[in-house]
Amino acid sequence: MTTSTYTVVGMTCEHCVRSVSEEVGAIPGVNDLSVDLETGSLSVTTEAEPVADDAVRAAVVEAGYQLA
């Protein structure tokens, strides 16, 4: 397993967390993820190879937020 950590900017509520979780969770290969509202931390776990940073960035932008 591989875990990559990112910082999401602009989240203010649990709806934000759900939106980011839904978009990032839809990326092929993502097995698990964790979003912390207070810190903006996004941890993405995959079974084998890490997911491309561009795919994570695109999913976060689709949810309406930015990566730091």
Side-chain angles (χ1 to χ4, degrees), residues 4 16-17 26-27 31-33 47 49 56:
S4 300
C16 301
V17 170
I27 299 171
N31 289 29
D32 191 31
L33 62 93
E47 189 65 39
E49 305 248 342
V56 174

Side-chain angles (χ1 to χ4, degrees), residues 12-37:
T12 58
C13 65
E14 286 302 317
H15 177 268
C16 301
V17 170
R18 286 191 302 275
S19 295
V20 170
S21 296
E22 184 177 304
E23 292 295 335
V24 175
I27 299 171
V30 172
N31 289 29
D32 191 31
L33 62 93
S34 171
V35 182
D36 185 288
L37 178 60

Side-chain angles (χ1 to χ4, degrees), residues 32-53:
D32 191 31
L33 62 93
S34 171
V35 182
D36 185 288
L37 178 60
E38 280 188 33
T39 64
S41 175
L42 165 64
S43 296
V44 180
T45 303
T46 58
E47 189 65 39
E49 305 248 342
V51 174
D53 290 340

